[in-house]
Amino acid sequence: MASSSVPPIKNICVFCGSSPGKEKEFLESANHLGRVLAERKIHLVYGGGSLGLMGSVSIAAFLGGSQVLGVIPKALAEGDIIGKTVGEELQVSTMSERLSVMFNHADAFIALPGGLGTLEEIFHISSWAQLNIHQKPIGLLNVNGFYNTLLSFLDHAVEQQFLTFSARQILISAATVEQLIDELQSFIPVVDSSMSRLNWSITERRKKLRLDLSLSL
């Protein structure tokens, strides 16, 4: 049950492969995730296209009544290598812009099984959380134990003191869609004390710059 102090999740960004993967459970889980998002009236943000797990989750969410936003670099859209985007399509110039737009439209993030692109996206978002740039919940849908070795590696990084215990808590993992969404909704971030002092507000930095300039004149 979600805490009353935690705002409801209205939009979830899903990172996943444009391949269906080897096991049938990967596609089934992507389809189920899309249907559960629709049932819970949560809208989907994803990377565009209609192939593999990306297609499965977006089609299921769209058919279930969720709003679907596909954010895709113009080069990929024109290259027509990942299929036609489901729902609304927003074309951007670069991969970095794509991730930034997806981030700004999402309240939480889920990674289904995927390859380098999926890993890059989920770790990019996680590193931003570690730096206290945001406190949005992030989860791995660990279908058929796909992420077991990755989670073990993160535990190893903690043991070897390259990752703090609080940073390790950023990535939530669950084997089922329902459990993962429930845990994302009830997530309460724990910010490293050293990171809590960081101020990423552009507005505040601009105010300080104006103050510094006025003091120097």
Side-chain angles (χ1 to χ4, degrees):
M1 182 68 66
S3 167
S4 59
S5 63
V6 179
I9 294 173
K10 298 180 180 179
N11 303 284
I12 289 182
C13 177
V14 175
F15 304 126
C16 57
S18 57
S19 164
K22 181 179 179 180
E23 308 294 338
K24 63 181 177 61
E25 287 83 0
F26 297 150
L27 272 177
E28 290 172 354
S29 293
N31 182 273
H32 185 57
L33 173 58
R35 286 189 279 110
V36 171
L37 290 178
E39 289 168 3
R40 298 196 182 195
K41 302 188 186 308
I42 298 172
H43 303 310
L44 170 68
V45 180
Y46 82 118
S50 57
L51 301 182
L53 304 192
M54 295 173 74
S56 184
V57 66
S58 59
I59 292 170
F62 184 76
L63 292 178
S66 286
Q67 295 178 18
V68 176
L69 174 64
V71 185
I72 183 170
K74 187 175 180 181
L76 284 180
E78 293 179 345
D80 194 27
I81 61 173
I82 61 173
K84 182 176 175 58
T85 294
V86 177
E88 179 185 353
E89 180 177 276
L90 177 59
Q91 293 189 13
V92 295
S93 299
T94 66
M95 294 293 284
S96 295
E97 185 183 0
R98 177 201 213 182
L99 187 60
S100 179
V101 170
M102 293 167 79
F103 170 80
N104 288 330
H105 279 83
D107 303 313
F109 305 88
I110 290 177
L112 283 160
L116 291 178
T118 300
L119 294 173
E120 187 273 335
E121 290 165 331
I122 203 69
F123 276 116
H124 202 140
I125 294 297
S126 298
S127 68
W128 285 354
Q130 181 182 9
L131 290 168
N132 201 28
I133 294 174
H134 74 90
Q135 295 183 348
K136 300 176 182 181
I138 307 165
L140 300 174
L141 187 56
N142 194 17
V143 183
N144 274 13
F146 179 81
Y147 283 116
N148 283 352
T149 52
L150 177 62
L151 294 169
S152 294
F153 168 75
L154 293 175
D155 292 336
H156 177 66
V158 173
E159 180 184 339
Q160 296 301 313
Q161 299 181 11
F162 285 104
L163 189 66
T164 64
F165 178 78
S166 59
R168 174 64 183 86
Q169 307 312 304
I170 290 171
L171 269 176
I172 302 164
S173 66
T176 69
V177 169
E178 290 83 359
Q179 180 187 356
L180 184 58
I181 294 178
D182 287 344
E183 291 195 27
L184 292 176
Q185 182 59 77
S186 60
F187 174 72
I188 299 176
V190 177
V191 180
D192 212 273
S193 58
S194 61
M195 300 300 177
S196 64
R197 299 193 297 269
L198 298 177
N199 180 7
W200 296 96
S201 169
I202 294 175
T203 301
E204 290 301 317
R205 289 205 305 273
R206 285 174 177 167
K207 286 180 181 177
K208 184 177 184 301
L209 177 60
R210 287 197 296 268
L211 176 62
D212 291 343
L213 287 172
S214 63
L215 289 175
S216 65
L217 294 176

